[in-house]
Amino acid sequence: MKNVFTHIDANDNDYKRILKKYQSVLDNYKAYEENLSDINAGANNKSNKGLSYKNSLAKILVNYERIYGKAPEDPSSKKTIDDLKKIQTMPSFIMVNQQKGRFYNAALEGYFNYISHRNLQLVMQSKKKIVSKKSDQRKYIPIYKSKKEQITSYYYPRDQRFSLIAMESNNWQCFFNKKHELFKKDDGTPYLEAHHIIPMKYYEEFNISIDQPCNIVPLCPNCHRKIHHAQKHDRNKMIKNLYNRRVNKLKQNHININLKQLLSYYDE
């Protein structure tokens, strides 16, 4: 066992081979991450994180092969996930991860969430088969064709469940103004966008995860754009409103931030 994790270049032959070997798994993972952007819409909606995570996962699998002496037979098996979690604790992984904008760890955590989500879907589909033989109601993660893209930013993974919790707890209304009119999606639910009061770009400044329901509010599309792009006076008015209504919940969850600090985050 080679106990060293290294950065893999895009021109590496092993990397190109792994991309082909696990094309189906990698493309499904990419699709999963892109689908999450529908929930966390807005400024990061076109972040290309799905492709970035796919490529980072492929590079991690190259390291897996070099560290354990062989590529995993099933990248989604419990053994493979356990082995990947061991790699995640290696000092060399931690060092390379920090050097590369923490993309490797973000891709791994996103992949773990994807496997959990996929396994849950399989269980639910199995239960549906017992109750009914109708299969046309089952939903699958779509598979998208890969395409060449250039990535220039990094992205912290969001947990889709927390965004849904925030929307459900606010009765699927705009948190800033519940009277704001919303259009409905095909599934009948109002279209809302999840907004992190403390922006996710400041994730590393907190010891506690800021991707949790107390820091997430559902906003109508107009309010979401407004809080990011409106003139400073209007933007600050919205930020103060959200902060005053959520500051106690943030503190209860050990997330401490004052209004001045929060406002400064939106000025950068």
Side-chain angles (χ1 to χ4, degrees):
M1 177 174 172
K2 181 182 178 183
N3 196 26
V4 179
F5 184 95
T6 60
H7 173 64
I8 305 298
D9 188 83
N11 294 318
D12 188 290
N13 289 330
D14 286 338
Y15 169 67
K16 295 177 181 179
R17 175 174 53 80
I18 288 293
L19 282 174
K20 293 181 179 179
K21 180 180 179 65
Y22 300 113
Q23 181 177 355
S24 177
V25 173
L26 293 169
D27 283 348
N28 274 285
Y29 173 48
K30 173 176 176 282
Y32 167 80
E33 291 293 352
E34 289 176 342
N35 288 342
L36 289 187
S37 294
D38 291 339
I39 296 294
N40 299 287
N44 292 317
N45 195 34
K46 297 181 179 180
S47 64
N48 292 322
K49 75 183 184 74
L51 179 64
S52 299
Y53 284 10
K54 167 192 170 181
N55 292 340
S56 294
L57 180 60
K59 294 176 181 179
I60 292 170
L61 291 173
V62 172
N63 273 282
Y64 183 106
E65 183 179 55
R66 294 176 181 177
I67 290 171
Y68 292 108
K70 62 179 181 178
E73 295 182 8
D74 179 5
S76 62
S77 70
K78 184 181 184 303
K79 181 183 184 306
T80 301
I81 298 301
D82 289 342
D83 287 342
L84 287 172
K85 289 182 178 180
K86 291 177 183 177
I87 291 176
Q88 197 177 24
T89 65
M90 290 181 177
S92 54
F93 174 89
I94 296 172
M95 181 183 68
V96 173
N97 180 56
Q98 291 176 343
Q99 292 173 346
K100 298 302 175 181
R102 299 182 174 85
F103 237 123
Y104 284 117
N105 191 65
L108 261 186
E109 289 296 334
Y111 182 63
F112 297 154
N113 287 336
Y114 160 66
I115 294 301
S116 297
H117 177 80
R118 191 204 65 168
N119 290 344
L120 178 60
Q121 277 194 327
L122 292 175
V123 171
M124 295 302 294
Q125 289 167 10
S126 177
K127 288 182 178 179
K128 285 183 179 180
K129 283 182 179 179
I130 297 174
V131 176
S132 173
K133 293 184 178 180
K134 294 181 179 180
S135 60
D136 57 335
Q137 295 179 350
R138 293 179 298 176
K139 296 182 179 180
Y140 295 88
I141 299 174
I143 299 176
Y144 295 101
K145 292 177 63 177
S146 299
K147 58 183 179 180
K148 187 176 182 180
E149 298 180 46
Q150 183 177 1
I151 303 302
T152 58
S153 62
Y154 62 89
Y155 183 91
Y156 291 104
R158 276 82 161 154
D159 192 320
Q160 179 185 12
R161 295 169 299 173
F162 296 153
S163 296
L164 291 175
I165 290 172
M167 293 177 185
E168 290 174 354
S169 64
N170 201 55
N171 296 319
W172 293 89
Q173 297 171 325
C174 176
F175 187 81
F176 183 69
N177 189 333
K178 65 180 181 180
K179 294 183 179 180
H180 283 176
E181 184 177 354
L182 304 171
F183 65 86
K184 291 187 176 180
K185 299 184 292 184
D186 288 338
D187 62 6
T189 59
Y191 178 78
L192 288 160
E193 296 177 354
H195 174 70
H196 288 76
I197 299 174
I198 304 173
M200 284 290 284
K201 66 184 292 187
Y202 298 101
Y203 190 92
E204 294 298 329
E205 295 190 15
F206 296 85
N207 294 326
I208 301 295
S209 173
I210 57 175
D211 183 38
Q212 55 176 302
C214 66
N215 188 46
I216 301 173
V217 294
L219 296 177
C220 68
N222 186 62
C223 283
H224 200 189
R225 299 306 187 277
K226 185 176 180 180
I227 202 169
H228 284 292
H229 305 296
Q231 293 181 340
K232 186 173 181 178
H233 172 75
D234 292 330
R235 186 175 71 240
N236 286 355
K237 183 178 179 180
M238 292 185 70
I239 297 169
K240 290 176 183 178
N241 178 286
L242 302 187
Y243 176 82
N244 289 333
R245 294 164 64 187
R246 278 296 176 86
V247 61
N248 289 334
K249 284 190 176 182
L250 289 170
K251 289 180 179 179
Q252 288 171 4
N253 288 273
H254 309 287
I255 301 176
N256 298 307
I257 185 172
N258 59 50
L259 180 58
K260 182 178 179 181
Q261 182 183 7
L262 180 62
L263 291 172
S264 70
Y265 286 167
Y266 286 80
D267 288 335
E268 296 182 6

